[in-house]
């Protein structure tokens, strides 16, 4: 009788663990990113990475000019009101987008759908002033005025890391 209880209990625990791991939310982007036209690609085009992420020509930050990007915006009554994160490592991309002011919390493909159009228009460089970079990001993402602090961290495709900081507007 003890053997049957142990077997049933073990099987139940393993199946529960599998079910829980399948339900976890991931920041991993599975859809191809960048350098695609807005229409469906022609059959056999081969540009998209079959497993998602960037296409072969875009590995290493060439898609947007950076391999890591994060924004953290605090408002007087809400810390971490906006938290945007993007990380590209070869053909693996992770993205998250949280905007507590608009009750949005997106990860993976959904987050990338939200931030990719902005990334395609951003033209950040490591020699920009804090004010120039902040103005570009605030305008691109439509960040509302009145924030207490904003911090933007970028690792450019050449490996240069830059932190842009600003206070209230």
């Amino acid at each position: 009788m003890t053997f049957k209880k142990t077997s049933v209990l073990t099987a139940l625990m393993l199946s529960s663990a599998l079910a829980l791991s399948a339900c976890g939310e991931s920041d991993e982007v599975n859809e191809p990113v960048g350098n695609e036209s807005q229409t469906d690609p022609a059959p056999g085009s081969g540009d998209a990475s079959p497993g998602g992420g960037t296409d072969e020509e875009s590995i290493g930050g060439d898609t947007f000019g950076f391999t890591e990007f994060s924004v953290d915006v605090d408002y007087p009554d809400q810390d971490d009101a906006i938290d945007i994160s993007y990380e590209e490592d070869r053909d693996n991309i992770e993205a998250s987008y949280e905007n507590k002011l608009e009750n949005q919390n997106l990860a993976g493909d959904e987050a990338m759908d939200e931030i990719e159009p902005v990334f395609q228009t951003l033209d950040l460089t490591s020699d920009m002033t804090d004010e120039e970079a902040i103005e570009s990001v605030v305008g691109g993402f439509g960040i509302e005025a009145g924030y207490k602090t904003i911090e933007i961290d970028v690792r450019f495709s050449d490996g240069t890391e830059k932190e842009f900081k600003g206070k209230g507007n």
Side-chain angles (χ1 to χ4, degrees):
M1 187 72 165
T2 305
F3 177 72
K4 285 185 179 181
K5 285 182 181 178
T6 305
S7 298
V8 171
L9 184 59
T10 302
L12 182 61
M13 290 178 69
L14 286 173
S15 63
S16 296
L18 287 173
L20 286 174
S21 67
C23 295
E25 189 174 299
S26 172
D27 291 350
E28 188 171 329
V29 175
N30 294 313
E31 295 176 359
V33 175
N35 292 342
E36 293 103 35
S37 64
Q38 295 298 333
T39 60
D40 291 334
S45 67
D47 284 345
S49 172
T54 58
D55 59 27
E56 287 299 314
E57 294 86 30
S58 301
I59 293 174
D62 293 335
T63 305
F64 305 118
F66 47 81
T67 58
E68 291 182 29
F69 176 91
S70 69
V71 175
D72 182 29
V73 181
D74 296 331
Y75 283 85
D77 58 341
Q78 180 73 58
D79 284 344
D80 298 323
I82 298 174
D83 188 9
I84 302 166
S85 171
Y86 169 87
E87 185 174 343
E88 178 183 332
D89 183 17
R90 299 255 336 135
D91 64 347
N92 183 38
I93 294 176
E94 293 182 1
S96 64
Y97 177 91
E98 183 176 17
N99 185 333
K100 293 177 183 175
L101 303 174
E102 295 180 7
N103 202 24
Q104 287 184 299
N105 191 4
L106 308 173
D109 292 327
E110 290 177 337
M112 201 64 216
D113 289 344
E114 186 74 27
I115 63 180
E116 184 176 15
V118 178
F119 282 178
Q120 290 176 343
T121 62
L122 280 182
D123 191 21
L124 296 177
T125 61
S126 59
D127 60 349
M128 289 180 120
T129 65
D130 287 5
E131 293 78 21
E132 291 170 329
I134 290 168
E135 183 179 316
S136 180
V137 169
V138 166
F141 284 104
I143 296 173
E144 295 179 25
Y147 58 82
K148 180 173 61 175
T149 61
I150 184 169
E151 184 175 315
I152 304 163
D153 294 307
V154 182
R155 175 177 289 154
F156 294 94
S157 56
D158 66 0
T160 304
E161 293 183 35
K162 182 76 184 227
E163 182 177 73
F164 305 99
K165 288 185 173 186
K167 294 201 182 274
N169 60 352

